[in-house]
Amino acid sequence: MKFVFNDGGRADAGFKGTTGDCACRAAAIAAQRPYKEVYDLINELAKSERIGKRKRKISNARTGVYPDTFKKVMAHYGFEWVPTMHIGQGCTVHLRENELPKGRIVCNVSGHFTAVIDGVLNDTYDCTRDGSRCVYGYFIKRNADAVKDDSKQRAEFVRKHVAPLLKAAFDSVDDVFYRKEPQTLDEFITTRYFDGRVVTFIVTRDPLGIIAQKAINNVLRATSGGDK
C-alpha cells in the first residue's frame, strides 16, 4: 500500500510536537475538515462520557478517543461503521489496498485509527506492518442524501407503523416518536404513556425490523412493571 505523510492539518492549526492524536488526525483527513474543528468536536462529545472503575478518564483529541465517541464523531461527518472482524471469525481484512474499498475511509486497527484515501495510506507513519496488520472495521463516507433518506424513512416507519401498532395493542401507550440528535446524529425512540411516563431508547442506524422489536420490548417491560 502506498504511504503519504499527512498530519491532517495539525501543524497548520498551530499545534506543535508529537502526541497520540491519531483519531483526530484520521477523521480530519477522511472528512476533509479543519483539524481544529475535529479537535474541538471530540472534546465536546467527550464531556458526555461517564467514568468509573474501568474507565478513569474521558476521551481527549490529543491523547486518545474511546470507540463509542469516535463513532459519534464519524457519524457527525456522515461516515458509516463497517465491521470486518467478528467473534470466532479471525482476521479477514488487512491494511492492504486490494482488501479495502475505494473512497475516503478510516480504518480501526489495534490501538490506532488511520485514514486511507482510494487505497493510499494517509498518516504520519507507515502503520501497515507490510500489509499484515488486521483491520477490525472501517468508517466509510456515505452519500449525504442517503443519510437524510434513512432518517426520513425511520421517522415515517415509526409514525405510520410502530406508533399505530403499539397504541392499538397497549391501552397504556399514548404515542411513539422518532428523534434524531442534530449534533451527534444519534437516533432515539420515545414512548409516552397515559400515566405520564416517558421512556426513551437509542436506535442509531438500526434496521427497521430491529426498531420495531425494540419498541415492542420496551413497552412490554414498561407494562410488566420494569420501568415503574
Side-chain angles (χ1 to χ4, degrees):
M1 174 179 281
K2 183 180 178 181
F3 164 68
V4 173
F5 178 86
N6 192 337
D7 72 349
R10 175 181 167 81
D12 290 342
F15 292 88
K16 298 180 180 180
T18 58
T19 187
D21 68 334
C22 66
C24 183
R25 178 173 68 245
I29 294 169
Q32 297 177 285
R33 302 304 304 167
Y35 182 93
K36 186 60 165 58
E37 174 188 298
V38 180
Y39 188 98
D40 290 342
L41 175 62
I42 290 173
N43 290 338
E44 181 63 31
L45 292 175
K47 293 178 182 178
S48 63
E49 293 180 4
R50 295 181 180 180
I51 58 174
K53 292 182 178 179
R54 294 185 178 181
K55 185 178 178 181
R56 301 283 183 174
K57 57 184 180 179
I58 63 175
S59 295
N60 185 283
R62 185 175 180 275
T63 57
V65 183
Y66 287 100
D68 285 348
T69 294
F70 191 64
K71 284 185 178 181
K72 292 180 180 180
V73 172
M74 297 310 293
H76 176 83
Y77 290 118
F79 284 72
E80 181 181 9
W81 169 247
V82 179
T84 58
M85 189 174 182
H86 304 279
I87 296 175
Q89 186 181 51
C91 184
T92 60
V93 176
H94 301 83
L95 206 49
R96 303 171 187 165
E97 180 181 357
N98 63 348
E99 294 187 19
L100 293 168
K102 295 293 184 180
R104 312 188 69 86
I105 67 175
V106 172
C107 293
N108 180 201
V109 297
S110 56
H112 189 57
F113 290 105
T114 189
V116 178
I117 312 300
D118 290 329
V120 177
L121 182 72
N122 282 245
D123 209 329
T124 53
Y125 69 100
D126 187 346
C127 60
T128 62
R129 296 176 183 168
D130 294 324
S132 67
R133 197 162 192 179
C134 185
V135 176
Y136 301 148
Y138 56 82
F139 296 90
I140 188 166
K141 181 71 173 179
R142 298 186 65 195
N143 180 279
D145 291 335
V147 173
K148 292 179 181 178
D149 288 344
D150 282 351
S151 299
K152 183 178 180 180
Q153 183 182 33
R154 286 178 171 84
E156 187 174 354
F157 176 73
V158 171
R159 180 173 59 84
K160 288 188 175 181
H161 301 285
V162 177
L165 171 66
L166 294 180
K167 290 165 70 174
F170 300 93
D171 293 336
S172 59
V173 175
D174 182 16
D175 213 342
V176 183
F177 307 93
Y178 166 93
R179 176 177 65 85
K180 188 166 187 175
E181 176 60 41
Q183 182 179 13
T184 65
L185 300 185
D186 281 335
E187 300 167 78
F188 302 90
I189 298 295
T190 297
T191 305
R192 186 177 66 204
Y193 297 88
F194 283 110
D195 62 6
R197 286 177 297 160
V198 175
V199 178
T200 299
F201 54 96
I202 192 165
V203 294
T204 305
R205 291 180 292 281
D206 282 340
L208 298 184
I210 298 299
I211 289 177
Q213 189 60 56
K214 281 187 175 181
I216 293 170
N217 289 342
N218 273 272
V219 174
L220 288 172
R221 280 196 293 271
T223 54
S224 66
D227 289 335
K228 290 182 178 180

